[in-house]
Amino acid sequence: MDGVLVLTISGQDRAGLVEKLADVIATHGGNWEHCRMAHLAGRFVGLLEVTVAGDLQQELEIALRTISDLDVMIAAGSTCSPAEPLRQFDLEVVGSDQPGIVRDVFKALALAGVNVEELSTRAYSAPSSGGMLFEAKARLGCDPEIDREAIRARLEQIAQDVMVDIRLLD
């Protein structure tokens, strides 16, 4: 039976890290499935899902942990899906960068029973003013019974409090 591994990787950014990781996975019978990787603060970091035959899993885990200059954390994943599919929608947040935006927005979503499926954020210099802007894009999921208008109203209140634009998109 195949096992699913979720890898969290981090290493000093340099050419060849992905190739080395892919080589170790393939050499030890693993299959590279889904990933998200990025360059952050001089490091190359990522999340990766790998499937591997059960009898090869331990060998693969040992090999992954011995890749030089790459920190690898390994967690067991699951192949089961939720019984009921979640209703999915997108969220966009843009505004002046300040501490607490992510906390406030995602606390409201958590309290409403909304799950974060994907999240990407960035802070960057505004082209005209030079001030820092914050942007977040998220793919969200929730039970089909959840009142999206109540979520929208709560997010609009937060948008006014922290002075950002928040949009929910289907």
Side-chain angles (χ1 to χ4, degrees):
M1 181 161 160
D2 284 353
V4 177
L5 302 177
V6 177
L7 311 180
T8 304
I9 65 158
S10 176
Q12 198 63 32
D13 194 29
R14 64 177 162 74
L17 273 180
V18 172
E19 182 277 329
K20 180 63 178 169
L21 181 62
D23 182 54
V24 168
I25 290 168
T27 299
H28 291 86
N31 187 42
W32 185 296
E33 299 283 342
H34 308 282
C35 78
R36 297 280 188 273
M37 296 186 177
H39 179 265
L40 297 172
R43 296 193 63 85
F44 185 73
V45 296
L47 302 170
L48 170 63
E49 179 183 327
V50 174
T51 54
V52 62
D55 60 331
L56 301 175
Q57 183 173 334
Q58 185 175 8
E59 212 173 286
L60 173 58
E61 288 185 29
I62 291 168
L64 288 166
R65 288 188 175 105
T66 61
I67 298 173
S68 63
D69 300 324
L70 189 66
D71 299 323
V72 180
M73 291 182 4
I74 303 170
S78 172
T79 57
C80 48
S81 302
E84 293 268 334
L86 296 177
R87 178 174 158 199
Q88 293 194 324
F89 55 101
D90 295 318
L91 170 77
E92 292 180 355
V93 178
V94 177
S96 294
D97 189 28
Q98 59 184 298
I101 296 172
V102 173
R103 177 199 60 214
D104 294 348
V105 170
F106 289 92
K107 180 178 182 178
L109 292 169
L111 290 172
V114 176
N115 189 45
V116 178
E117 303 286 329
E118 293 181 31
L119 172 64
S120 65
T121 66
R122 70 183 185 126
Y124 58 97
S125 181
S128 56
S129 69
M132 292 301 290
L133 294 177
F134 175 80
E135 176 182 82
K137 293 183 179 184
R139 183 77 174 151
L140 307 172
C142 68
D143 185 289
E145 308 298 317
I146 289 179
D147 181 2
R148 279 222 4 229
E149 289 311 310
I151 295 169
R152 185 181 313 277
R154 178 64 187 124
L155 291 175
E156 287 173 0
Q157 179 62 48
I158 292 169
Q160 289 176 358
D161 292 345
V162 297
M163 299 183 340
V164 296
D165 292 325
I166 299 178
R167 297 185 330 172
L168 284 178
L169 310 164
D170 288 320

